[in-house]
Amino acid sequence: MKTAILGASGYAGGELVRFIDDHDEFHLVHLGAHTQSGMPLGSVHPHLAGGSRVLGSNDPNALPEVDLVFLALPHGASAEIGKALADDGSRVVDLGADYRLDSDDRYRAAYGQPHPHPEDLGEWVYGLPELFDCTDTGRIASPGCYPTTTILGLAPLVVAGLIDPGTIVVNAVSGVSGAGRKLAEQFLFGSIDEGVVAYGVGVHRHRPEMEMALELLSGTRASVTFTPHLVPMQRGIVATSTATLVDPSTSRAVLLDALRSAYEGRPFVEVIDVPPQSRWTVNSNRALLSTFVDIPTGRVVVTAALDNLVKGAAGQAVQAANLMLDLPEDTGLPSHGWMP
Amino acid sequence: MKTAILGASGYAGGELVRFIDDHDEFHLVHLGAHTQSGMPLGSVHPHLAGGSRVLGSNDPNALPEVDLVFLALPHGASAEIGKALADDGSRVVDLGADYRLDSDDRYRAAYGQPHPHPEDLGEWVYGLPELFDCTDTGRIASPGCYPTTTILGLAPLVVAGLIDPGTIVVNAVSGVSGAGRKLAEQFLFGSIDEGVVAYGVGVHRHRPEMEMALELLSGTRASVTFTPHLVPMQRGIVATSTATLVDPSTSRAVLLDALRSAYEGRPFVEVIDVPPQSRWTVNSNRALLSTFVDIPTGRVVVTAALDNLVKGAAGQAVQAANLMLDLPEDTGLPSHGWMP
Amino acid sequence: MKTAILGASGYAGGELVRFIDDHDEFHLVHLGAHTQSGMPLGSVHPHLAGGSRVLGSNDPNALPEVDLVFLALPHGASAEIGKALADDGSRVVDLGADYRLDSDDRYRAAYGQPHPHPEDLGEWVYGLPELFDCTDTGRIASPGCYPTTTILGLAPLVVAGLIDPGTIVVNAVSGVSGAGRKLAEQFLFGSIDEGVVAYGVGVHRHRPEMEMALELLSGTRASVTFTPHLVPMQRGIVATSTATLVDPSTSRAVLLDALRSAYEGRPFVEVIDVPPQSRWTVNSNRALLSTFVDIPTGRVVVTAALDNLVKGAAGQAVQAANLMLDLPEDTGLPSHGWMP
Amino acid sequence: MKTAILGASGYAGGELVRFIDDHDEFHLVHLGAHTQSGMPLGSVHPHLAGGSRVLGSNDPNALPEVDLVFLALPHGASAEIGKALADDGSRVVDLGADYRLDSDDRYRAAYGQPHPHPEDLGEWVYGLPELFDCTDTGRIASPGCYPTTTILGLAPLVVAGLIDPGTIVVNAVSGVSGAGRKLAEQFLFGSIDEGVVAYGVGVHRHRPEMEMALELLSGTRASVTFTPHLVPMQRGIVATSTATLVDPSTSRAVLLDALRSAYEGRPFVEVIDVPPQSRWTVNSNRALLSTFVDIPTGRVVVTAALDNLVKGAAGQAVQAANLMLDLPEDTGLPSHGWMP
């Protein structure tokens, strides 16, 4: 498969290069960038053994013939580019948010303006492969990192009717790479190191994505309060979700079983007995889940971890592309993390 | 005031030495330790310009005559020592949990066993000086770091009847020093750095302390789900609390006002407009609070930050001792943090 | 003493505010800034309990009447401002490099251009108080962080004739705050965290400062190779210097004695038996030194540590100002560091 | 090739599992451990997708039939085990120091005692594949992390007669994983984070290894002062070496050429124009080198970086094993690092 990446200069773009270089079926023929077009890959991503590759353009018209395109573009940029490429017959996996939501109403609520191609919103598959079927489509909207972490942990419990989807409170912590490769005072080492801060309180755009996925999967309305936090590490997310049990006497074993049976046979989601350390997932496409009953309050706590740039972005995009192309979903993806 | 510290070899003990060495009214005459008794202060705390001081014993009978004693001992150790010293007429500030709870019932629920001196539980003042009167007592039980952070943010809203105390979900992140100076695989740099993990899910002992304080202050029953997380930094806590608004149309301004008026004139608690970065408080006795309305769900989010070893431990203990002795509450305490 | 800081918005400027706010004799009457003039202190330095102070101008003509001025300005900016203020009768402590070197020749070698006021170069005292007399001057050029760390460790050995000053190799590591508060890709958390890099190899401007100080103190020519490295921490420097022993049979005890006797009675320099951890100095004005003989090669290794923003910048500037004004040199300065 | 790892529970052991699991030719049939024998792999290395594998014994007599054994044992443990396995016909790659030195004299100088099998010392190949031939042996002693970093940078310059091998000063910084997985106060997060310290000054055991390799390669005597430092990161080494140029007018281009021609065609060593960031190598088997002339002193500075657990340990061991077995040297090894 001749493969292109548009937006190869960012963090997720760099991870896509790394995974696809090691992929047996996908062959990189084009790396696009915007301001860094024309730069050697090795100077933009000095951790990649770049050889002599040079970044080209993000312009879809400047692409060589390709079968598969990954888009890792700033918000809004893939609405046109993704549509053009997909309408033209390329298979497209978009890591951006432009086609994740399923209706213009939800899009307006999240982004405060209408979608440029609202009629296309239903055409894209929400690319969370353990919960949505990615095999029969050419258009995949790859989920955000926080929604992936959260939905993997909550969806089986909502679907099984074990928790009340109107009572969900999600708090998450993320490594700094989740914010992308941005030059801003708030992302300096001197600002980040040795401190933690909440952000986007009450207004983070990943909340509607969480509610949509839970509603699509369960057919019931979900109501999520979502508060993300930035912590001093490069990668990794832990999302801790609390919700009221429908039956307060539900045992922990029942909850663990619901999670385990939902992901049986899937290589990348593992349910464990202890709260997962995000480090155990870094550099792999693994998601780790656990759940506990908070007995005095009759609530459940689900805690989930993954690498925001792998299972939360580039790895999951490759996983979805594998399925779209009838390959084993773990082709070319790391299943081991690394420590220390 | 001739002052002693028992448990001077731990992290909180080291901070007590630092603050009291700079205090105009308290004069350190004894530093007690257990296994490190006999060691020079400078080898136990190489960051302190130790001079020739040597750690002595934690045995209260081995103390020189003192007016004021700070206890920074392992859980359970101050039940006897603190009682003996206080019964003997010393003013005692206990940084441990032994006398924090107000009844044997609550103590049994938290610790799974009866308190050795249940009749004394009501005799100790819960030493959160902005909310509990510390001026007229010789026995102060200094609060835990998580409860301090959480209660400062929630109590004024519960007391004002703005939020439903039965719906509280608290998620907190803490630097590693909160776990104390313990030699365990899980606290190695190789285990902690670049990862986040939840712990004590559903069973952390600080939950009853939070519920007790809110109930004592508001006279209504509180129900808290509390999930703490360890993050790769030395110091600092951010506690993010979510609760349902009694009146979903309550504005953010009303909530901010409730917080501001609760702490008017107090030097160490500041209400700000943005979510507080824990770094802004490190090395100071400051607590920073902010609050937001999550409009779609009718919930409130309170996010609070402080340095777990200062306002969350040693600094707050000195603050309470100042008040106990009719000194200005900020005597000897740093009001500036430091960055970067 | 009415005191002003010009350049109060940077990292060293923030530390000056912190120390001078706690100083019994210096009273801050003006905080100057360039692009952030007009901003509240608390928004520029959110870790400082700012009250209502607002940053003013860096223009020396806009200053209120002051007795003492600290300059923490970008390189080149204090050549004119510092001269104007000092000629006008203010006591000036310049944290910049403009007046550190003692001759136009040395300045041209370091900076590639002539000094605008070469005739003034000899008028300023190099403000390393343990080695240069700061009591009888109104103009102090405060040393760089790397030279302070290095010279404190090497000078006594060079002066005593124990090591060959023509064979000095200095390698140093520094926390990121040493580079100042700069918005650049290379200082992002994503670039710094979990990596180390050498920089300025062969061309760093602190080398001539080291050679000058050693030559002024010993009267012999010094030749230094200096390679600094950036490490993922906020603060702290360790400088490790290697030089050939004049007499290869010199014992370690002789070297330690030479260091100890050089700093006897000085509150901020301590000679210890083990290699100093930079953390033991952070937030204090302490410098820690140790030295070892590398027996197989007949070389000496000196390893020194301090906090680059305190003893390496703001703290040392206050120390020098204290001496200039016949105050005890430790007035208003922290002698304890903090951990963890 | 049926492959075993003895010492699979440590950091290097974990990396060996990760690489060999992805290796097309090596098939893991046994994972040995000492105190953790009997434990599931996934509880000892929770970052590895362990499946149901369980750690077995380190006893060579308990091994199933194997063709290739990697030893990642504590110092001293492989002297007997390695000899027994190799004498028995297994191909052995020892990551320990037991057979690295080439003579009992050097071993006694380094370790203060005679080698138990001095006659075997010459039988093992020093497994630095870019400089020593690993193709024609069954016994490989894999180099230490600091020697690998240093020798790669210095050897070509010594061999070409460009620098004086009697004047070498090496300063290195390493991430904490270099010290292994040890439970000690000095490796706690609270001790390591935000600080730097030199250690083993004048006595580190990697110095004789550096001198040996340079002498074997150049036929001239080398004299190295080596000072390592611990920095707050998990992985990565930067070694910065200084030496006097034989001809002080040697240009930088000549030095870069000498390095480039030495490693031409080798996949894992790259000579670059700027000082290498250790982060650019993490998680890959790459070593990055650069060199500079310190013109005023007539000295050369070489700065080199690699991942101490990959090119400095497990990756290099697999690389040497590949060559020993006539496979391409990069089989199964990551050439891309990862960031951020």
Side-chain angles (χ1 to χ4, degrees):
Chain A
M1 304 289 298
K2 288 182 205 149
T3 305
I5 301 166
L6 301 189
S9 61
Y11 290 153
E15 286 294 90
L16 285 168
V17 174
R18 188 162 71 96
F19 296 140
I20 299 175
D21 274 350
D22 281 348
H23 198 284
D24 289 335
E25 305 292 333
F26 301 163
H27 179 61
L28 273 180
V29 297
H30 181 80
L31 299 174
H34 183 54
T35 56
Q36 305 205 273
S37 177
M39 299 280 286
L41 177 63
S43 75
V44 174
H45 291 302
H47 61 292
L48 297 178
S52 55
R53 286 182 285 184
V54 170
L55 296 181
S57 161
N58 271 346
D59 180 351
N61 300 313
L63 277 185
E65 200 182 294
V66 295
D67 307 300
L68 175 61
V69 184
F70 291 90
L71 304 179
L73 300 169
H75 179 68
S78 48
E80 297 302 336
I81 294 176
K83 177 175 172 54
L85 288 165
D87 285 353
D88 227 48
S90 293
R91 292 163 194 268
V92 180
V93 181
D94 181 13
L95 281 74
D98 296 25
Y99 290 103
R100 285 181 196 154
L101 297 179
D102 62 341
S103 73
D104 197 37
D105 280 357
R106 221 186 282 271
Y107 189 89
R108 284 170 192 256
Y111 297 102
Q113 52 184 18
H115 193 281
H117 301 288
E119 68 286 2
D120 278 30
L121 286 176
E123 303 294 304
W124 294 69
V125 170
Y126 190 69
L128 212 173
E130 286 82 3
L131 295 169
F132 294 84
D133 181 3
C134 298
T135 58
D136 193 25
T137 180
R139 304 175 191 220
I140 285 181
S142 206
C145 50
Y146 289 124
T148 298
T149 324
T150 303
I151 297 162
L152 284 172
L154 288 176
L157 306 185
V158 173
V159 169
L162 293 167
I163 59 175
D164 175 352
T167 64
I168 297 170
V169 174
V170 179
N171 279 259
V173 298
S174 173
V176 180
S177 63
R181 195 172 183 171
K182 280 182 207 136
L183 193 55
E185 165 95 12
Q186 77 212 79
F187 301 122
L188 289 178
F189 186 83
S191 307
I192 292 286
D193 183 48
E194 296 291 308
V196 175
V197 67
Y199 68 99
V201 184
V203 298
H204 197 283
R205 290 166 171 190
H206 279 174
R207 180 232 303 259
E209 214 179 307
M210 295 176 192
E211 292 176 344
M212 175 194 76
L214 294 176
E215 292 173 8
L216 290 176
L217 291 165
S218 72
T220 57
R221 184 145 168 67
S223 174
V224 175
T225 296
F226 171 56
T227 310
H229 301 72
L230 213 53
V231 300
M233 60 189 195
Q234 303 274 25
R235 295 177 180 224
I237 284 181
V238 168
T240 298
S241 306
T242 305
T244 301
L245 282 166
V246 170
D247 172 357
S249 70
T250 309
S251 73
R252 188 183 175 212
V254 167
L255 299 165
L256 285 168
D257 274 356
L259 292 178
R260 287 206 170 99
S261 62
Y263 301 112
E264 203 175 350
R266 304 308 292 256
F268 292 127
V269 181
E270 204 173 322
V271 182
I272 62 178
D273 288 333
V274 296
Q277 230 296 355
S278 64
R279 274 286 279 160
W280 301 343
T281 69
V282 167
N283 200 31
S284 81
N285 202 46
R286 292 207 296 171
L288 298 176
L289 312 177
S290 198
T291 185
F292 300 83
V293 178
D294 187 44
I295 294 169
T297 61
R299 297 177 192 145
V300 65
V301 179
V302 179
T303 175
L306 51 74
D307 180 331
N308 55 297
L309 288 180
V310 188
K311 182 61 176 164
Q316 180 153 268
V318 171
Q319 181 188 2
N322 286 335
L323 290 165
M324 183 163 68
L325 292 155
D326 293 323
L327 298 169
E329 64 182 315
D330 57 356
T331 309
L333 289 171
S335 52
H336 288 326
W338 68 270
M339 279 187 83
Chain B
M1 302 290 299
K2 288 184 205 150
T3 304
I5 300 167
L6 301 189
S9 61
Y11 289 153
E15 286 294 270
L16 285 168
V17 174
R18 188 163 72 96
F19 296 140
I20 299 175
D21 274 350
D22 281 348
H23 198 285
D24 289 336
E25 306 292 332
F26 301 162
H27 179 60
L28 274 180
V29 297
H30 182 80
L31 299 174
H34 182 53
T35 57
Q36 305 205 274
S37 177
M39 299 280 285
L41 176 63
S43 74
V44 173
H45 291 302
H47 61 292
L48 297 178
S52 54
R53 287 183 284 183
V54 171
L55 296 181
S57 161
N58 271 346
D59 180 351
N61 300 312
L63 277 184
E65 200 182 295
V66 294
D67 306 301
L68 176 61
V69 184
F70 291 90
L71 303 180
L73 300 168
H75 179 67
S78 48
E80 298 301 338
I81 293 177
K83 178 176 172 55
L85 288 165
D87 286 352
D88 226 50
S90 292
R91 291 163 194 270
V92 180
V93 181
D94 180 13
L95 281 76
D98 295 26
Y99 289 103
R100 286 182 196 153
L101 298 178
D102 62 341
S103 72
D104 197 37
D105 280 358
R106 219 185 283 271
Y107 188 89
R108 282 169 195 259
Y111 297 101
Q113 52 184 20
H115 193 280
H117 302 288
E119 69 285 1
D120 279 30
L121 286 176
E123 303 293 305
W124 293 69
V125 169
Y126 190 68
L128 213 174
E130 286 82 4
L131 295 169
F132 294 84
D133 181 1
C134 298
T135 58
D136 193 25
T137 179
R139 303 175 190 221
I140 286 181
S142 207
C145 49
Y146 289 123
T148 298
T149 324
T150 303
I151 297 163
L152 283 173
L154 288 176
L157 307 184
V158 173
V159 168
L162 293 166
I163 59 175
D164 175 353
T167 64
I168 297 170
V169 174
V170 179
N171 279 259
V173 297
S174 173
V176 181
S177 63
R181 196 172 182 171
K182 282 182 207 137
L183 193 58
E185 165 94 13
Q186 79 211 77
F187 300 124
L188 288 178
F189 185 83
S191 307
I192 291 286
D193 183 48
E194 296 291 307
V196 174
V197 67
Y199 68 99
V201 185
V203 298
H204 197 281
R205 290 167 171 189
H206 279 175
R207 180 232 302 259
E209 212 179 308
M210 295 176 193
E211 292 175 344
M212 175 195 77
L214 294 175
E215 291 172 7
L216 289 176
L217 291 165
S218 72
T220 57
R221 184 144 168 68
S223 175
V224 176
T225 296
F226 171 56
T227 310
H229 300 73
L230 213 53
V231 300
M233 59 189 196
Q234 303 274 26
R235 295 178 179 222
I237 284 180
V238 168
T240 297
S241 306
T242 304
T244 300
L245 282 166
V246 170
D247 171 357
S249 70
T250 309
S251 73
R252 187 184 176 214
V254 166
L255 299 166
L256 285 169
D257 275 355
L259 292 178
R260 287 207 170 100
S261 62
Y263 302 112
E264 203 175 349
R266 304 308 292 255
F268 292 127
V269 180
E270 204 173 325
V271 182
I272 61 177
D273 288 333
V274 296
Q277 232 293 358
S278 64
R279 274 286 279 157
W280 301 343
T281 68
V282 167
N283 199 31
S284 80
N285 202 47
R286 290 207 299 170
L288 298 176
L289 312 177
S290 198
T291 185
F292 299 84
V293 177
D294 187 44
I295 293 170
T297 60
R299 296 175 193 148
V300 64
V301 179
V302 180
T303 175
L306 51 74
D307 180 331
N308 55 297
L309 287 181
V310 187
K311 181 62 177 165
Q316 180 153 270
V318 170
Q319 180 188 1
N322 286 335
L323 290 165
M324 183 164 67
L325 292 155
D326 293 323
L327 298 169
E329 65 183 312
D330 57 356
T331 308
L333 288 170
S335 52
H336 287 326
W338 68 271
M339 280 188 83
Chain C
M1 303 288 302
K2 288 182 205 149
T3 304
I5 300 167
L6 302 188
S9 61
Y11 289 152
E15 286 293 90
L16 285 168
V17 174
R18 189 163 70 97
F19 296 140
I20 299 175
D21 273 350
D22 280 348
H23 197 284
D24 290 336
E25 307 291 332
F26 301 163
H27 179 61
L28 273 180
V29 298
H30 181 81
L31 299 174
H34 183 54
T35 56
Q36 306 205 273
S37 178
M39 299 280 286
L41 177 63
S43 75
V44 174
H45 292 302
H47 61 293
L48 297 179
S52 55
R53 286 183 285 183
V54 170
L55 296 182
S57 160
N58 272 345
D59 180 351
N61 300 313
L63 277 184
E65 200 182 296
V66 294
D67 307 300
L68 175 62
V69 184
F70 291 90
L71 304 179
L73 300 168
H75 179 67
S78 48
E80 298 302 336
I81 293 176
K83 178 176 171 53
L85 288 167
D87 286 353
D88 227 50
S90 293
R91 291 162 196 270
V92 180
V93 180
D94 181 13
L95 281 74
D98 295 25
Y99 289 103
R100 286 181 196 154
L101 298 178
D102 62 340
S103 73
D104 197 38
D105 280 358
R106 220 186 284 269
Y107 188 89
R108 283 169 192 258
Y111 297 101
Q113 52 183 21
H115 193 281
H117 301 289
E119 69 285 1
D120 278 31
L121 287 176
E123 303 293 305
W124 292 70
V125 170
Y126 189 69
L128 213 173
E130 286 83 5
L131 296 169
F132 293 85
D133 181 3
C134 297
T135 58
D136 193 25
T137 181
R139 301 174 192 222
I140 285 181
S142 206
C145 51
Y146 289 124
T148 297
T149 325
T150 304
I151 296 163
L152 283 173
L154 288 176
L157 307 184
V158 172
V159 168
L162 293 167
I163 59 173
D164 176 351
T167 64
I168 296 169
V169 174
V170 178
N171 280 258
V173 296
S174 174
V176 181
S177 62
R181 194 171 183 171
K182 281 181 207 136
L183 194 56
E185 165 96 13
Q186 77 211 81
F187 300 123
L188 288 178
F189 185 83
S191 306
I192 291 285
D193 182 49
E194 295 292 306
V196 174
V197 67
Y199 68 99
V201 185
V203 299
H204 197 281
R205 289 166 171 189
H206 279 174
R207 180 232 302 261
E209 213 179 307
M210 295 175 192
E211 292 175 344
M212 177 194 75
L214 295 175
E215 291 173 8
L216 290 176
L217 291 165
S218 72
T220 58
R221 184 146 168 66
S223 175
V224 175
T225 297
F226 171 57
T227 309
H229 301 72
L230 213 54
V231 301
M233 59 190 196
Q234 303 274 26
R235 294 176 179 224
I237 285 180
V238 168
T240 298
S241 306
T242 305
T244 300
L245 283 166
V246 170
D247 172 357
S249 70
T250 308
S251 73
R252 187 183 177 214
V254 167
L255 299 165
L256 285 169
D257 275 356
L259 292 178
R260 287 205 171 101
S261 61
Y263 301 112
E264 204 176 347
R266 303 308 292 256
F268 292 127
V269 181
E270 203 173 325
V271 182
I272 60 177
D273 287 334
V274 297
Q277 232 294 358
S278 64
R279 274 286 279 158
W280 302 343
T281 69
V282 167
N283 199 31
S284 80
N285 202 46
R286 291 208 297 171
L288 299 176
L289 311 177
S290 197
T291 184
F292 299 83
V293 178
D294 187 44
I295 294 169
T297 60
R299 297 177 192 146
V300 64
V301 178
V302 180
T303 177
L306 51 73
D307 180 331
N308 54 295
L309 287 181
V310 187
K311 182 61 178 165
Q316 180 153 266
V318 171
Q319 181 188 2
N322 285 335
L323 290 165
M324 184 164 67
L325 292 155
D326 293 323
L327 299 168
E329 65 183 313
D330 56 357
T331 308
L333 289 170
S335 52
H336 288 326
W338 68 273
M339 281 187 82
Chain D
M1 304 287 301
K2 288 182 205 150
T3 305
I5 300 167
L6 302 189
S9 60
Y11 290 153
E15 285 293 90
L16 284 168
V17 174
R18 187 163 71 96
F19 297 140
I20 298 174
D21 273 350
D22 281 347
H23 198 285
D24 289 336
E25 305 292 332
F26 301 162
H27 179 61
L28 273 180
V29 298
H30 182 80
L31 299 174
H34 182 53
T35 55
Q36 305 204 272
S37 178
M39 300 279 286
L41 178 62
S43 74
V44 174
H45 291 301
H47 61 293
L48 297 178
S52 56
R53 286 183 284 184
V54 170
L55 297 182
S57 161
N58 272 345
D59 180 352
N61 299 312
L63 278 185
E65 199 182 294
V66 294
D67 307 299
L68 174 62
V69 184
F70 292 90
L71 304 179
L73 301 168
H75 179 67
S78 49
E80 298 302 336
I81 293 176
K83 179 176 171 53
L85 288 165
D87 285 353
D88 227 50
S90 293
R91 293 163 194 270
V92 180
V93 181
D94 181 13
L95 281 74
D98 295 25
Y99 289 103
R100 286 181 196 154
L101 298 178
D102 63 341
S103 73
D104 198 37
D105 280 358
R106 220 186 284 270
Y107 189 90
R108 284 170 192 256
Y111 296 101
Q113 53 184 20
H115 194 280
H117 301 289
E119 68 286 1
D120 278 31
L121 287 176
E123 303 293 305
W124 293 68
V125 170
Y126 189 70
L128 211 173
E130 286 82 4
L131 295 169
F132 295 84
D133 181 4
C134 298
T135 58
D136 193 25
T137 180
R139 302 174 192 222
I140 286 181
S142 207
C145 50
Y146 289 124
T148 297
T149 324
T150 303
I151 296 163
L152 284 172
L154 288 175
L157 307 184
V158 172
V159 168
L162 292 167
I163 59 173
D164 176 353
T167 63
I168 297 170
V169 174
V170 178
N171 280 258
V173 296
S174 173
V176 180
S177 63
R181 196 171 182 171
K182 280 181 208 137
L183 193 56
E185 164 96 13
Q186 77 210 80
F187 300 124
L188 289 178
F189 186 83
S191 307
I192 290 286
D193 182 48
E194 296 290 307
V196 175
V197 67
Y199 67 99
V201 186
V203 299
H204 197 280
R205 289 166 171 190
H206 279 174
R207 180 232 302 262
E209 213 178 307
M210 295 176 192
E211 292 176 344
M212 176 194 77
L214 295 175
E215 291 173 9
L216 290 175
L217 291 165
S218 72
T220 57
R221 183 145 169 66
S223 175
V224 175
T225 297
F226 171 57
T227 310
H229 301 72
L230 213 53
V231 300
M233 59 189 196
Q234 303 274 26
R235 295 176 179 224
I237 284 180
V238 168
T240 298
S241 306
T242 305
T244 300
L245 282 166
V246 170
D247 173 355
S249 70
T250 309
S251 73
R252 188 184 175 212
V254 167
L255 299 165
L256 285 167
D257 275 356
L259 292 178
R260 287 207 171 99
S261 63
Y263 301 112
E264 204 176 347
R266 303 308 292 256
F268 291 126
V269 181
E270 203 174 325
V271 182
I272 61 178
D273 287 334
V274 296
Q277 231 294 358
S278 64
R279 273 286 280 158
W280 301 344
T281 68
V282 166
N283 200 31
S284 81
N285 203 45
R286 292 207 297 171
L288 298 177
L289 312 177
S290 198
T291 185
F292 299 83
V293 178
D294 187 44
I295 294 170
T297 60
R299 297 176 192 146
V300 64
V301 178
V302 180
T303 176
L306 51 72
D307 181 331
N308 54 296
L309 287 181
V310 187
K311 182 61 177 165
Q316 180 154 266
V318 170
Q319 181 188 1
N322 285 335
L323 290 166
M324 184 163 68
L325 292 155
D326 293 322
L327 298 167
E329 64 183 316
D330 57 356
T331 308
L333 288 170
S335 53
H336 288 326
W338 68 272
M339 279 187 84

